[in-house]
Amino acid sequence: MEKHFSAFQQLKKILDEHNNFVLISHIHTDGDALGSVMAFYHFLKNQGKNVQAIIPGGLPERYNFLQIKQAINRQSKKQLHQSIAQAEVILILD
């Protein structure tokens, strides 16, 4: 149990000490990956962090009812590459 607590402490330290985040899911994004990205996106935004959410290949149409397009892939492909290059922390979520 102590190892897990240490891992959470390390993650908290990373989140506290950085401001520029990129969140990415795996290709062929499914609901659990999308949910993880969006939950972490809103958590970080509420902490005042700069966050870009990237879904490889775009948001699958079956998730349009969630009305979250405004939070995902808002930049051109070139700008997304720049965001990734400038990120202090990149989290790949599933």
Side-chain angles (χ1 to χ4, degrees):
M1 186 69 131
E2 193 171 308
K3 273 187 176 182
H4 289 44
F5 187 67
S6 176
F8 284 115
Q9 286 177 319
Q10 289 174 352
L11 177 59
K12 182 178 180 342
K13 183 177 180 188
I14 290 169
L15 299 179
D16 289 345
E17 293 178 355
H18 296 88
N19 290 311
N20 296 311
F21 294 83
V22 170
L23 309 177
I24 304 174
S25 72
H26 56 74
I27 194 157
H28 306 299
T29 300
D30 51 18
D32 62 331
L34 182 59
S36 296
V37 168
M38 292 313 302
F40 226 86
Y41 174 88
H42 289 294
F43 171 76
L44 291 171
K45 281 292 199 181
N46 286 336
Q47 300 296 313
K49 306 295 183 175
N50 178 32
V51 186
Q52 295 295 325
I54 301 171
I55 302 298
L59 184 64
E61 286 187 29
R62 66 181 168 270
Y63 301 118
N64 285 347
F65 74 96
L66 296 172
Q67 300 178 0
I68 56 176
K69 286 185 179 183
Q70 70 278 5
I72 297 175
N73 301 348
R74 297 178 313 204
Q75 301 174 321
S76 70
K77 194 171 188 176
K78 182 180 179 180
Q79 290 170 322
L80 288 173
H81 285 264
Q82 289 173 342
S83 291
I84 291 169
Q86 295 172 353
E88 295 173 290
V89 178
I90 297 173
L91 298 171
I92 302 170
L93 303 167
D94 183 18

XYZ file of all heavy atoms in Angstrom:
760
model
N 0.822 -1.191 0.000
C 0.000 0.000 0.000
C 0.867 1.257 0.000
O 0.522 2.236 -0.615
C -0.924 -0.050 1.232
C -1.910 1.056 1.265
S -3.136 0.899 -0.008
C -4.591 1.128 0.916
N 1.981 1.204 0.675
C 2.857 2.368 0.771
C 3.395 2.792 -0.592
O 3.528 3.981 -0.865
C 4.010 2.067 1.726
C 4.775 3.308 2.122
C 5.766 3.030 3.224
O 5.360 2.456 4.252
O 6.938 3.377 3.027
N 3.687 1.834 -1.474
C 4.177 2.155 -2.821
C 3.141 2.975 -3.584
O 3.473 3.914 -4.270
C 4.493 0.885 -3.607
C 5.867 0.363 -3.400
C 6.107 -0.775 -4.361
C 7.524 -1.259 -4.244
N 7.821 -2.320 -5.177
N 1.872 2.586 -3.498
C 0.817 3.295 -4.215
C 0.684 4.721 -3.709
O 0.513 5.650 -4.473
C -0.507 2.561 -4.077
C -0.570 1.285 -4.843
N 0.444 0.379 -4.863
C -1.524 0.762 -5.623
C 0.127 -0.644 -5.620
N -1.074 -0.438 -6.096
N 0.758 4.889 -2.405
C 0.666 6.223 -1.839
C 1.807 7.091 -2.340
O 1.614 8.236 -2.695
C 0.670 6.145 -0.310
C 0.416 7.471 0.339
C -0.817 8.084 0.222
C 1.411 8.111 1.045
C -1.066 9.311 0.817
C 1.174 9.339 1.642
C -0.067 9.940 1.524
N 2.988 6.524 -2.427
C 4.145 7.241 -2.941
C 3.932 7.645 -4.396
O 4.273 8.748 -4.798
C 5.407 6.395 -2.809
O 6.501 7.059 -3.382
N 3.349 6.768 -5.196
C 3.075 7.077 -6.599
C 2.089 8.239 -6.706
O 2.252 9.132 -7.541
C 2.541 5.851 -7.326
N 1.067 8.244 -5.847
C 0.104 9.347 -5.848
C 0.757 10.646 -5.398
O 0.459 11.718 -5.921
C -1.114 9.026 -4.985
C -2.063 8.066 -5.629
C -2.265 6.814 -5.083
C -2.753 8.408 -6.776
C -3.136 5.915 -5.683
C -3.618 7.532 -7.394
C -3.813 6.271 -6.843
N 1.653 10.557 -4.437
C 2.376 11.748 -3.991
C 3.242 12.296 -5.124
O 3.328 13.515 -5.311
C 3.249 11.424 -2.777
C 2.465 11.241 -1.508
C 3.354 10.862 -0.342
O 4.270 10.062 -0.479
N 3.083 11.449 0.805
N 3.881 11.416 -5.871
C 4.713 11.846 -7.001
C 3.861 12.515 -8.073
O 4.235 13.552 -8.622
C 5.474 10.659 -7.585
C 6.567 10.148 -6.696
C 7.202 8.875 -7.233
O 6.740 8.284 -8.198
N 8.278 8.452 -6.590
N 2.710 11.930 -8.372
C 1.806 12.526 -9.356
C 1.329 13.891 -8.871
O 1.321 14.850 -9.643
C 0.618 11.607 -9.623
C -0.432 12.148 -10.591
C 0.175 12.453 -11.956
C -1.590 11.173 -10.707
N 0.947 13.999 -7.617
C 0.502 15.285 -7.077
C 1.597 16.337 -7.197
O 1.338 17.482 -7.581
C 0.067 15.146 -5.625
C -0.450 16.460 -5.038
C -0.914 16.323 -3.625
C -1.430 17.591 -2.998
N -1.115 18.855 -3.548
N 2.828 15.956 -6.919
C 3.945 16.884 -7.031
C 4.105 17.365 -8.472
O 4.288 18.559 -8.728
C 5.232 16.221 -6.544
C 6.419 17.138 -6.553
C 7.655 16.465 -5.998
C 8.780 17.492 -6.053
N 10.061 16.971 -5.727
N 4.009 16.460 -9.416
C 4.116 16.824 -10.836
C 2.996 17.790 -11.211
O 3.225 18.801 -11.872
C 4.090 15.570 -11.722
C 5.384 14.786 -11.546
C 3.873 15.932 -13.196
C 5.365 13.398 -12.159
N 1.779 17.477 -10.799
C 0.635 18.334 -11.120
C 0.764 19.711 -10.473
O 0.423 20.721 -11.086
C -0.669 17.665 -10.680
C -1.002 16.327 -11.332
C -2.302 15.779 -10.771
C -1.054 16.434 -12.837
N 1.260 19.754 -9.251
C 1.409 21.023 -8.542
C 2.514 21.896 -9.141
O 2.400 23.117 -9.159
C 1.721 20.786 -7.059
C 0.535 20.255 -6.273
O -0.605 20.339 -6.779
O 0.768 19.742 -5.161
N 3.579 21.278 -9.621
C 4.767 22.024 -10.041
C 4.781 22.419 -11.517
O 5.690 23.132 -11.940
C 6.023 21.206 -9.729
C 6.266 21.049 -8.238
C 7.486 20.209 -7.908
O 8.112 19.648 -8.843
O 7.820 20.116 -6.720
N 3.802 21.970 -12.286
C 3.786 22.273 -13.721
C 2.473 22.926 -14.121
O 1.460 22.774 -13.448
C 4.026 20.994 -14.522
C 5.380 20.415 -14.262
N 5.620 19.527 -13.235
C 6.569 20.619 -14.870
C 6.896 19.196 -13.233
N 7.496 19.851 -14.209
N 2.522 23.638 -15.250
C 1.335 24.366 -15.711
C 0.863 23.993 -17.103
O -0.281 24.262 -17.442
C 1.604 25.875 -15.663
C 1.679 26.371 -14.241
O 0.816 26.070 -13.433
N 2.726 27.106 -13.917
N 1.715 23.416 -17.935
C 1.353 23.128 -19.329
C 1.255 21.621 -19.547
O 2.259 20.909 -19.520
C 2.385 23.728 -20.285
C 2.409 25.233 -20.188
O 1.365 25.876 -20.245
N 3.586 25.795 -20.020
N 0.027 21.161 -19.785
C -0.245 19.735 -19.901
C -0.857 19.404 -21.259
O -1.648 20.177 -21.796
C -1.231 19.289 -18.820
C -0.682 19.399 -17.428
C -0.719 20.608 -16.741
C -0.132 18.303 -16.803
C -0.220 20.716 -15.463
C 0.376 18.394 -15.520
C 0.336 19.599 -14.849
N -0.505 18.229 -21.767
C -1.167 17.648 -22.929
C -1.685 16.290 -22.490
O -0.948 15.484 -21.917
C -0.211 17.508 -24.135
C -0.855 16.689 -25.238
C 0.181 18.881 -24.666
N -2.961 16.052 -22.750
C -3.599 14.775 -22.446
C -3.905 14.074 -23.757
O -4.486 14.675 -24.658
C -4.892 14.997 -21.664
C -4.797 15.895 -20.435
C -6.177 16.071 -19.821
C -3.821 15.323 -19.427
N -3.519 12.823 -23.850
C -3.700 12.050 -25.077
C -4.283 10.693 -24.716
O -3.896 10.090 -23.720
C -2.351 11.852 -25.808
C -1.690 13.196 -26.107
C -2.545 11.055 -27.097
C -0.291 13.087 -26.685
N -5.192 10.219 -25.550
C -5.683 8.849 -25.391
C -5.024 7.981 -26.468
O -4.285 8.485 -27.310
C -7.201 8.794 -25.536
O -7.569 8.997 -26.887
N -5.349 6.711 -26.430
C -4.838 5.812 -27.469
C -5.634 5.984 -28.755
O -6.722 6.558 -28.765
C -4.876 4.358 -26.990
C -6.238 3.909 -26.544
N -7.264 3.641 -27.417
C -6.736 3.707 -25.303
C -8.338 3.266 -26.751
N -8.041 3.304 -25.456
N -5.073 5.488 -29.846
C -5.778 5.540 -31.135
C -7.021 4.652 -31.041
O -7.065 3.728 -30.234
C -4.839 5.142 -32.294
C -5.465 5.539 -33.611
C -4.501 3.674 -32.247
C -4.480 5.724 -34.715
N -8.016 4.929 -31.840
C -9.312 4.246 -31.780
C -9.914 4.425 -30.384
O -10.283 3.474 -29.706
C -9.200 2.757 -32.131
C -8.541 2.490 -33.441
N -9.044 2.953 -34.647
C -7.401 1.837 -33.742
C -8.242 2.593 -35.623
N -7.228 1.919 -35.092
N -10.010 5.672 -29.987
C -10.474 6.034 -28.649
C -11.822 5.400 -28.336
O -12.742 5.452 -29.146
C -10.577 7.564 -28.541
O -9.292 8.102 -28.772
C -11.053 7.981 -27.173
N -11.915 4.813 -27.158
C -13.177 4.245 -26.692
C -13.683 5.082 -25.517
O -13.056 6.067 -25.133
C -13.011 2.773 -26.317
C -11.848 2.525 -25.369
O -11.369 3.487 -24.738
O -11.415 1.373 -25.260
N -14.810 4.693 -24.977
C -15.459 5.490 -23.951
C -14.650 5.667 -22.685
O -14.643 6.751 -22.097
N -13.951 4.617 -22.241
C -13.199 4.771 -20.997
C -11.998 5.684 -21.187
O -11.672 6.491 -20.312
C -12.793 3.424 -20.394
C -11.883 2.590 -21.264
O -11.959 2.709 -22.495
O -11.093 1.802 -20.701
N -11.351 5.621 -22.342
C -10.226 6.523 -22.620
C -10.718 7.965 -22.716
O -10.119 8.878 -22.143
C -9.517 6.118 -23.907
N -11.816 8.170 -23.409
C -12.378 9.510 -23.548
C -12.804 10.061 -22.184
O -12.533 11.213 -21.859
C -13.564 9.489 -24.503
C -14.229 10.826 -24.791
C -13.246 11.809 -25.395
C -15.428 10.619 -25.710
N -13.429 9.216 -21.371
C -13.833 9.642 -20.037
C -12.642 10.027 -19.176
O -12.684 11.021 -18.449
N -11.559 9.257 -19.273
C -10.349 9.565 -18.500
C -9.746 10.891 -18.930
O -9.357 11.709 -18.099
C -9.311 8.452 -18.675
O -9.776 7.243 -18.149
N -9.665 11.105 -20.238
C -9.107 12.359 -20.756
C -9.957 13.533 -20.305
O -9.437 14.546 -19.812
C -8.972 12.317 -22.296
C -8.684 13.707 -22.865
C -7.888 11.339 -22.716
N -11.266 13.427 -20.444
C -12.125 14.558 -20.115
C -12.158 14.826 -18.607
O -12.185 15.984 -18.178
C -13.538 14.341 -20.658
C -13.597 14.383 -22.180
S -12.710 15.803 -22.917
C -13.516 17.179 -22.142
N -12.134 13.788 -17.791
C -12.119 13.989 -16.340
C -10.835 14.707 -15.922
O -10.874 15.671 -15.158
C -12.242 12.644 -15.621
N -9.702 14.267 -16.454
C -8.433 14.898 -16.100
C -8.356 16.300 -16.688
O -7.810 17.211 -16.063
C -7.265 14.031 -16.595
C -6.208 13.851 -15.565
C -6.305 12.843 -14.636
C -5.110 14.687 -15.517
C -5.335 12.668 -13.673
C -4.135 14.530 -14.565
C -4.245 13.515 -13.630
N -8.911 16.501 -17.889
C -8.954 17.823 -18.521
C -9.658 18.815 -17.591
O -9.130 19.890 -17.290
C -9.675 17.726 -19.866
C -9.914 19.046 -20.549
C -8.950 19.598 -21.390
C -11.102 19.745 -20.360
C -9.164 20.818 -22.022
C -11.323 20.957 -20.993
C -10.357 21.493 -21.819
O -10.571 22.693 -22.442
N -10.841 18.454 -17.140
C -11.609 19.369 -16.286
C -10.949 19.551 -14.924
O -10.965 20.655 -14.365
C -13.052 18.893 -16.150
C -13.836 19.059 -17.415
N -14.127 20.297 -17.944
C -14.362 18.151 -18.272
C -14.804 20.147 -19.068
N -14.956 18.859 -19.284
N -10.371 18.494 -14.379
C -9.655 18.609 -13.112
C -8.521 19.621 -13.227
O -8.394 20.525 -12.399
C -9.110 17.245 -12.681
C -8.181 17.327 -11.512
C -8.681 17.517 -10.232
C -6.816 17.240 -11.689
C -7.822 17.612 -9.134
C -5.951 17.334 -10.605
C -6.452 17.514 -9.328
N -7.696 19.498 -14.275
C -6.555 20.398 -14.450
C -7.009 21.823 -14.757
O -6.438 22.788 -14.250
C -5.615 19.874 -15.533
C -4.863 18.596 -15.177
C -4.143 18.045 -16.411
C -3.881 18.839 -14.043
N -8.032 21.977 -15.590
C -8.565 23.311 -15.889
C -9.051 23.991 -14.606
O -8.815 25.185 -14.408
C -9.716 23.225 -16.901
C -9.268 23.047 -18.323
C -8.579 24.292 -18.801
C -8.530 24.347 -20.296
N -7.838 25.546 -20.776
N -9.719 23.234 -13.746
C -10.199 23.793 -12.478
C -9.056 24.181 -11.554
O -9.251 24.979 -10.639
C -11.144 22.821 -11.775
C -12.496 22.748 -12.443
O -12.915 23.681 -13.124
N -13.177 21.632 -12.271
N -7.873 23.637 -11.801
C -6.680 23.988 -11.037
C -5.943 25.174 -11.663
O -4.876 25.563 -11.205
C -5.728 22.784 -10.958
C -6.313 21.554 -10.298
C -6.639 21.786 -8.847
O -5.833 22.325 -8.103
N -7.833 21.405 -8.431
N -6.490 25.716 -12.763
C -5.887 26.864 -13.432
C -4.748 26.501 -14.369
O -3.957 27.359 -14.749
N -4.692 25.245 -14.786
C -3.618 24.779 -15.657
C -3.980 24.999 -17.126
O -5.146 25.076 -17.505
C -3.358 23.282 -15.430
C -3.095 22.895 -13.984
C -1.824 23.500 -13.449
C -1.572 23.026 -12.017
N -0.306 23.485 -11.478
N -2.947 25.097 -17.961
C -3.104 25.150 -19.415
C -3.134 23.705 -19.896
O -2.169 22.963 -19.702
C -1.939 25.922 -20.034
C -2.022 25.973 -21.533
O -3.109 25.990 -22.103
N -0.874 25.974 -22.187
N -4.239 23.305 -20.537
C -4.420 21.899 -20.908
C -4.891 21.789 -22.346
O -5.804 22.500 -22.761
C -5.470 21.213 -19.996
C -5.542 19.726 -20.281
C -5.190 21.483 -18.535
N -4.276 20.874 -23.084
C -4.733 20.508 -24.423
C -5.121 19.037 -24.381
O -4.343 18.200 -23.919
C -3.625 20.698 -25.463
C -3.190 22.116 -25.654
C -4.284 22.981 -26.237
O -5.076 22.545 -27.054
N -4.324 24.218 -25.803
N -6.312 18.707 -24.846
C -6.763 17.320 -24.939
C -6.700 16.909 -26.401
O -7.266 17.578 -27.266
C -8.179 17.177 -24.398
N -6.000 15.810 -26.661
C -5.805 15.343 -28.032
C -6.316 13.915 -28.154
O -5.904 13.035 -27.400
C -4.314 15.406 -28.429
C -3.795 16.835 -28.306
C -4.108 14.850 -29.836
C -2.295 16.969 -28.474
N -7.224 13.713 -29.086
C -7.726 12.379 -29.382
C -7.186 12.004 -30.761
O -7.560 12.623 -31.758
C -9.279 12.355 -29.388
C -9.840 12.830 -28.053
C -9.784 10.967 -29.761
C -9.464 12.001 -26.866
N -6.276 11.028 -30.830
C -5.704 10.649 -32.137
C -6.804 10.246 -33.116
O -7.696 9.467 -32.778
C -4.814 9.452 -31.799
C -4.528 9.574 -30.347
C -5.744 10.216 -29.744
N -6.761 10.824 -34.291
C -7.760 10.515 -35.314
C -9.073 11.235 -35.124
O -9.988 11.075 -35.903
N -9.196 12.027 -34.093
C -10.414 12.786 -33.865
C -11.399 12.056 -32.974
O -11.219 10.897 -32.616
N -12.437 12.751 -32.620
C -13.462 12.223 -31.727
C -14.421 11.332 -32.510
O -15.030 11.776 -33.476
C -14.231 13.386 -31.096
C -15.276 13.054 -30.068
C -14.624 12.414 -28.844
C -16.026 14.303 -29.666
N -14.560 10.070 -32.107
C -15.514 9.192 -32.792
C -16.930 9.765 -32.716
O -17.347 10.291 -31.684
C -15.406 7.878 -32.002
C -14.044 7.913 -31.383
C -13.808 9.366 -31.064
N -17.668 9.671 -33.807
C -19.011 10.266 -33.898
C -19.958 9.755 -32.826
O -20.847 10.487 -32.389
C -19.608 10.022 -35.278
C -18.990 10.887 -36.353
C -19.704 10.760 -37.683
O -20.921 10.483 -37.691
O -19.029 10.935 -38.702
N -19.780 8.532 -32.372
C -20.717 7.969 -31.386
C -20.677 8.727 -30.055
O -21.542 8.550 -29.216
C -20.460 6.480 -31.181
C -19.142 6.139 -30.542
C -18.987 4.628 -30.400
N -17.639 4.275 -30.054
C -16.648 4.012 -30.896
N -16.869 4.076 -32.190
N -15.459 3.687 -30.476
N -19.659 9.592 -29.868
C -19.558 10.361 -28.627
C -19.989 11.817 -28.807
O -19.832 12.624 -27.890
C -18.140 10.297 -28.067
C -17.704 8.884 -27.776
C -16.625 8.317 -28.442
C -18.386 8.105 -26.853
C -16.240 7.011 -28.185
C -18.014 6.804 -26.593
C -16.940 6.259 -27.260
O -16.567 4.972 -27.011
N -20.573 12.149 -29.945
C -21.023 13.524 -30.195
C -22.043 14.001 -29.171
O -22.092 15.187 -28.846
C -21.609 13.667 -31.601
C -20.538 13.674 -32.669
O -19.352 13.807 -32.378
N -20.947 13.501 -33.908
N -22.852 13.098 -28.648
C -23.894 13.499 -27.690
C -23.295 14.101 -26.415
O -23.976 14.803 -25.687
C -24.785 12.298 -27.345
C -24.128 11.284 -26.436
C -24.343 11.334 -25.069
C -23.297 10.299 -26.956
C -23.742 10.400 -24.230
C -22.695 9.363 -26.125
C -22.916 9.413 -24.758
N -22.008 13.853 -26.161
C -21.356 14.388 -24.964
C -21.057 15.890 -25.068
O -20.777 16.534 -24.076
C -20.051 13.635 -24.679
C -20.210 12.158 -24.349
C -18.859 11.490 -24.280
C -20.960 11.990 -23.039
N -21.114 16.408 -26.283
C -20.889 17.834 -26.538
C -19.582 18.322 -25.909
O -19.552 19.308 -25.168
C -22.075 18.658 -26.047
C -23.351 18.271 -26.737
C -24.551 19.030 -26.230
O -24.469 19.867 -25.349
N -25.703 18.740 -26.808
N -18.479 17.630 -26.231
C -17.174 17.985 -25.686
C -16.175 18.375 -26.762
O -15.005 18.550 -26.480
C -16.592 16.836 -24.825
C -16.527 15.555 -25.639
C -17.390 16.656 -23.561
C -15.887 14.397 -24.908
N -16.650 18.556 -27.981
C -15.737 18.906 -29.074
C -14.961 20.183 -28.792
O -13.851 20.349 -29.248
C -16.496 19.038 -30.393
C -16.917 17.723 -30.977
C -17.547 17.931 -32.343
C -17.941 16.612 -32.933
N -18.493 16.773 -34.278
N -15.549 21.105 -28.035
C -14.871 22.372 -27.744
C -13.616 22.160 -26.908
O -12.757 23.035 -26.850
C -15.815 23.364 -27.051
C -16.191 23.010 -25.631
C -17.315 22.001 -25.489
O -17.808 21.459 -26.470
N -17.717 21.737 -24.263
N -13.473 21.005 -26.274
C -12.306 20.747 -25.423
C -11.240 19.905 -26.114
O -10.129 19.805 -25.615
C -12.761 20.028 -24.143
N -11.557 19.314 -27.256
C -10.644 18.340 -27.866
C -10.187 18.813 -29.243
O -10.986 19.254 -30.057
C -11.337 16.975 -27.998
C -11.684 16.449 -26.610
C -10.470 15.982 -28.736
C -12.470 15.191 -26.605
N -8.881 18.671 -29.486
C -8.292 18.945 -30.805
C -8.743 20.291 -31.358
O -9.098 20.406 -32.524
C -8.654 17.841 -31.809
C -8.190 16.471 -31.381
O -7.410 16.317 -30.461
N -8.673 15.451 -32.047
N -8.696 21.330 -30.550
C -9.161 22.643 -30.981
C -8.170 23.344 -31.899
O -8.463 24.395 -32.422
C -9.433 23.527 -29.766
C -10.535 23.015 -28.880
C -10.682 23.905 -27.710
N -9.358 24.159 -27.157
C -9.102 24.512 -25.922
N -10.062 24.670 -25.091
N -7.877 24.717 -25.506
N -7.001 22.786 -32.049
C -5.949 23.433 -32.830
C -5.730 22.693 -34.151
O -6.153 21.557 -34.318
C -4.642 23.420 -32.038
C -4.735 24.114 -30.704
C -3.462 23.942 -29.900
O -2.859 22.886 -29.913
N -3.054 24.983 -29.207
N -5.037 23.365 -35.048
C -4.636 22.702 -36.293
C -3.620 21.617 -35.948
O -3.047 21.599 -34.849
C -4.008 23.714 -37.252
O -2.739 24.132 -36.752
N -3.371 20.739 -36.883
C -2.406 19.656 -36.650
C -1.019 20.225 -36.312
O -0.344 19.737 -35.404
C -2.329 18.759 -37.884
C -1.654 17.455 -37.651
C -1.815 16.539 -38.866
C -1.290 15.157 -38.554
N -1.517 14.233 -39.649
N -0.626 21.272 -37.004
C 0.669 21.905 -36.733
C 0.708 22.468 -35.315
O 1.687 22.306 -34.588
C 0.945 22.999 -37.756
C 2.282 23.678 -37.579
C 2.521 24.757 -38.623
C 3.868 25.418 -38.386
N 4.150 26.463 -39.355
N -0.372 23.138 -34.904
C -0.442 23.708 -33.558
C -0.448 22.616 -32.487
O 0.145 22.782 -31.420
C -1.685 24.589 -33.415
C -1.600 25.871 -34.211
C -2.934 26.592 -34.234
O -3.996 25.980 -34.312
N -2.876 27.921 -34.155
N -1.109 21.496 -32.784
C -1.105 20.374 -31.839
C 0.308 19.840 -31.645
O 0.722 19.549 -30.526
C -2.039 19.260 -32.309
C -3.534 19.545 -32.198
C -4.345 18.436 -32.844
C -3.959 19.736 -30.758
N 1.052 19.733 -32.732
C 2.447 19.283 -32.638
C 3.262 20.269 -31.796
O 4.114 19.856 -31.002
C 3.063 19.111 -34.035
C 2.575 17.889 -34.734
N 3.266 16.702 -34.722
C 1.463 17.657 -35.455
C 2.602 15.801 -35.403
N 1.498 16.361 -35.869
N 3.009 21.559 -31.969
C 3.709 22.572 -31.174
C 3.325 22.463 -29.694
O 4.182 22.591 -28.818
C 3.407 23.975 -31.706
C 4.054 24.266 -33.041
C 3.598 25.602 -33.623
O 2.583 26.168 -33.226
N 4.363 26.101 -34.592
N 2.059 22.226 -29.421
C 1.608 22.068 -28.033
C 2.303 20.879 -27.381
O 2.724 20.956 -26.224
C 0.092 21.860 -27.972
O -0.575 23.034 -28.336
N 2.431 19.803 -28.122
C 3.108 18.617 -27.591
C 4.570 18.935 -27.321
O 5.102 18.589 -26.270
C 2.959 17.428 -28.559
C 1.497 16.960 -28.570
C 3.898 16.282 -28.171
C 1.166 15.975 -29.663
N 5.207 19.631 -28.241
C 6.631 19.973 -28.079
C 6.851 20.907 -26.891
O 7.893 20.845 -26.236
C 7.168 20.601 -29.359
N 5.877 21.757 -26.590
C 6.024 22.746 -25.518
C 5.467 22.282 -24.175
O 5.640 22.970 -23.162
C 5.338 24.055 -25.933
C 6.004 24.718 -27.111
C 5.208 25.895 -27.634
O 4.097 26.157 -27.205
N 5.786 26.611 -28.587
N 4.848 21.119 -24.159
C 4.238 20.632 -22.918
C 5.298 20.332 -21.869
O 6.375 19.821 -22.180
C 3.419 19.376 -23.201
N 4.979 20.686 -20.654
C 5.843 20.291 -19.536
C 5.554 18.845 -19.125
O 6.435 18.129 -18.689
C 5.589 21.207 -18.336
C 5.978 22.644 -18.566
C 5.556 23.518 -17.414
O 4.350 23.749 -17.231
O 6.466 23.959 -16.690
N 4.279 18.472 -19.257
C 3.853 17.126 -18.876
C 2.897 16.594 -19.943
O 1.966 17.299 -20.350
C 3.137 17.132 -17.512
C 2.651 15.742 -17.141
C 4.031 17.712 -16.427
N 3.127 15.377 -20.385
C 2.230 14.684 -21.311
C 1.716 13.446 -20.595
O 2.494 12.631 -20.108
C 2.963 14.286 -22.609
C 3.447 15.533 -23.339
C 2.026 13.453 -23.496
C 4.323 15.250 -24.525
N 0.406 13.336 -20.523
C -0.219 12.183 -19.897
C -1.002 11.406 -20.943
O -1.832 11.975 -21.663
C -1.177 12.627 -18.781
C -0.535 13.376 -17.617
C -1.613 13.956 -16.710
C 0.365 12.449 -16.840
N -0.735 10.113 -21.036
C -1.465 9.230 -21.940
C -2.432 8.443 -21.066
O -2.024 7.720 -20.162
C -0.520 8.300 -22.699
C 0.504 9.136 -23.480
C -1.309 7.376 -23.638
C 1.624 8.357 -24.077
N -3.718 8.630 -21.341
C -4.761 8.089 -20.468
C -5.624 7.061 -21.176
O -5.849 7.141 -22.371
C -5.637 9.236 -19.960
C -4.885 10.342 -19.210
C -5.765 11.556 -19.045
C -4.384 9.832 -17.880
N -6.129 6.120 -20.405
C -7.060 5.120 -20.905
C -8.078 4.810 -19.840
O -7.848 4.840 -18.680
C -6.334 3.851 -21.313
C -7.274 2.824 -21.914
O -8.396 3.178 -22.322
O -6.895 1.643 -21.991
